[in-house]
């Protein structure tokens, strides 16, 4: 059992990871500024797990609260989620993204160093691969220049943490490169609640299914894929959360840096997702084909062999389960509004 500081622990992936950490008998301390989440998520985490969580409302840019957390708790490791995450917004507000996602992260790493905490699991992204030359995409694929500031902040953090491990041999770093997290906790108590227009496909599809939006925009149907629409590796958020627990256990017993893909290794098209949603909601979901977006690629999915070999982890849920749990959460959310 270890005590884990989870930054951004009330967010979509962070909250699910807290549940899995608690079920693995770890203690959890959450730091979140609630920029893109709500404090009642803490109660939901406690309700699902049957265990209590220590919550601090604050920001990774604030040295005072970081020092307070490390002083008041015996932290064994950090799982770092806290970041601004909207690709489009990062194009409009690059300074805010670099300030928070890079400056705030360095602030956190310095606080860890001051307080003798040398183990961290970092929330990275398949974005670091850019437009991969081949799929499935493996961890040894070259890191490419990102097409937006959000992606660049992930690359910078990976570089910073790798340099830290090279300089400090007692540090242990896991760089977890996610593909496309979707779904929700099967209880219906936790899920993705985007502010404004969703940036991700499944919340948008769910809102169309609920009648909150008119139709789904499908960006291109002339790709070299089975149905012409883009193919991506969607992973259930609960599988992803469990991957963090496995990565944490590995990091607590090893030094150095490891980059690991977290995905299913299976590609699903945009239309696959829409049709899977139609099955669970019981009616057709209208969509319109739009022009391709610049920078989009035909397909991208993960080589997940390293996760299985190194961490003993593999995804368990298929697309049907992902959308069923997502729909269950969205229906409950809609009922309570």
């Amino acid at each position: 059992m270890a005590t884990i500081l989870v930054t951004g622990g009330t967010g979509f992936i962070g909250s699910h990871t807290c549940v899995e950490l608690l079920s693995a008998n770890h203690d959890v301390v959450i730091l979140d500024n609630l920029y893109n989440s709500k404090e009642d998520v803490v109660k939901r985490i406690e309700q699902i797990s049957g265990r209590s969580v220590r919550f601090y409302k604050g920001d990774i840019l604030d040295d005072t609260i970081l020092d307070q957390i490390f002083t008041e708790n015996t932290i064994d490791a950090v799982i770092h989620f806290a970041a601004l995450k909207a690709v489009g917004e990062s194009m409009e507000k690059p300074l805010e993204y670099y300030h928070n996602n890079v400056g705030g992260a360095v602030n956190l790493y310095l606080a860890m160093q001051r307080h003798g905490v040398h183990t961290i699991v970092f929330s990275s992204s398949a974005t670091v691969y850019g437009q991969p030359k081949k799929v499935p995409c493996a961890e040894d694929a070259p890191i490419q220049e990102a097409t937006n500031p959000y992606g660049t902040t992930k690359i910078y953090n990976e570089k910073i943490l790798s340099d830290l491990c090279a300089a400090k041999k007692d540090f242990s770093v896991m760089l977890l490169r996610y593909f496309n997290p979707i779904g929700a906790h099967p209880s219906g108590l936790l899920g993705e609640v985007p502010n404004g227009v969703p940036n991700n496909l499944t919340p948008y599809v769910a809102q169309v299914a609920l009648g909150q939006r008119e139709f789904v925009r499908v960006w291109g149907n002339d790709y070299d894929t089975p149905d012409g629409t883009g193919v991506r590796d969607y992973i259930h958020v609960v599988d992803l959360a469990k991957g963090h627990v496995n990565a944490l256990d590995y990091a607590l017993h090893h030094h150095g840096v490891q980059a690991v893909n977290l995905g299913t290794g299976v590609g699903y098209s945009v239309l696959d997702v829409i049709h899977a949603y139609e099955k669970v909601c019981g009616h057709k979901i209208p969509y319109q084909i739009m022009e391709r977006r610049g920078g989009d690629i035909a397909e991208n999915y993960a080589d997940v062999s390293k996760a299985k070999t190194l961490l003993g982890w593999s995804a368990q849920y298929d697309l049907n389960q992902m959308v069923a749990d997502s729909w269950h959460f969205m229906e409950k959310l809609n009922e309570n509004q």
Side-chain angles (χ1 to χ4, degrees):
M1 186 181 79
T3 299
I4 314 303
L5 170 61
V6 183
T7 70
T10 60
F12 176 45
I13 302 169
S15 60
H16 287 83
T17 300
C18 288
V19 168
E20 296 305 324
L21 287 168
L22 291 161
S23 71
N25 209 32
H26 295 299
D27 290 328
V28 170
V29 178
I30 294 175
L31 171 65
D32 203 304
N33 65 5
L34 305 178
Y35 175 79
N36 198 32
S37 59
K38 294 183 170 61
E39 192 170 343
D40 72 347
V41 169
V42 176
K43 293 187 178 66
R44 293 167 185 250
I45 292 168
E46 293 176 334
Q47 184 179 343
I48 293 167
S49 65
R51 297 187 55 202
S52 62
V53 168
R54 194 159 194 186
F55 174 70
Y56 292 82
K57 182 182 177 183
D59 202 291
I60 53 173
L61 287 159
D62 182 356
D63 282 335
T64 303
I65 198 162
L66 289 173
D67 285 331
Q68 181 187 350
I69 290 169
F70 285 109
T71 301
E72 292 179 355
N73 305 274
T74 305
I75 302 295
D76 297 296
V78 174
I79 301 183
H80 179 37
F81 295 105
L84 300 173
K85 64 171 189 173
V87 169
E89 184 184 61
S90 78
M91 304 284 281
E92 299 163 7
K93 300 179 177 179
L95 289 180
E96 287 87 340
Y97 270 69
Y98 290 121
H99 181 52
N100 185 82
N101 293 10
V102 180
V106 170
N107 225 33
L108 172 66
Y109 308 151
L110 285 168
M112 290 174 61
Q113 189 169 261
R114 283 196 302 276
H115 293 275
V117 179
H118 299 148
T119 303
I120 183 167
V121 177
F122 176 67
S123 167
S124 193
S125 168
T127 307
V128 302
Y129 297 123
Q131 297 198 19
K133 291 182 170 53
K134 64 174 184 174
V135 292
C137 196
E139 290 85 354
D140 59 0
I143 302 302
Q144 299 193 41
E145 185 172 339
T147 57
N148 56 77
Y150 164 74
T152 304
T153 68
K154 294 297 184 186
I155 294 170
Y156 285 173
N157 268 281
E158 287 205 7
K159 178 63 174 166
I160 290 163
L161 287 167
S162 298
D163 288 346
L164 178 60
C165 273
K168 307 287 185 182
K169 301 303 182 187
D170 53 351
F171 266 80
S172 178
V173 172
M174 300 297 294
L175 307 172
L176 300 186
R177 295 171 179 168
Y178 316 156
F179 278 67
N180 296 71
I182 65 172
H185 195 271
S187 65
L189 291 170
L190 292 175
E192 187 172 11
V193 189
N195 287 338
V197 180
N199 291 298
N200 297 330
L201 176 63
T202 51
Y204 203 104
V205 173
Q207 290 183 5
V208 174
L210 287 165
Q212 296 170 354
R213 297 188 185 279
E214 192 176 354
F215 59 86
V216 180
R217 289 172 173 81
V218 177
W219 304 100
N221 68 341
D222 56 351
Y223 289 104
D224 185 16
T225 61
D227 64 21
T229 64
V231 168
R232 297 294 182 268
D233 189 334
Y234 296 96
I235 176 173
H236 197 299
V237 66
V238 172
D239 275 333
L240 185 64
K242 289 178 178 177
H244 285 74
V245 178
N246 287 42
L248 172 72
D249 291 342
Y250 180 90
L252 287 167
H253 297 96
H254 298 82
H255 293 142
V257 61
Q258 292 282 354
V260 182
N261 288 338
L262 293 183
T264 64
V266 178
Y268 300 103
S269 75
V270 175
L271 292 184
D272 286 337
V273 175
I274 291 172
H275 296 326
Y277 248 99
E278 289 175 337
K279 288 179 188 173
V280 298
C281 76
H283 59 81
K284 286 288 185 184
I285 295 175
Y287 63 88
Q288 289 188 14
I289 305 299
M290 318 297 285
E291 291 291 319
R292 288 189 190 189
R293 290 181 301 192
D296 276 354
I297 56 177
E299 60 179 352
N300 191 18
Y301 54 94
D303 181 332
V304 293
S305 54
K306 184 174 181 179
K308 189 169 187 179
T309 303
L310 191 75
L311 307 181
W313 173 91
S314 57
Q316 302 300 307
Y317 300 114
D318 64 8
L319 181 64
N320 290 330
Q321 190 64 53
M322 296 179 212
V323 299
D325 288 337
S326 171
W327 179 241
H328 179 217
F329 171 75
M330 290 300 291
E331 278 192 307
K332 286 191 74 165
L333 186 68
N334 195 47
E335 287 167 9
N336 295 330
Q337 285 179 342

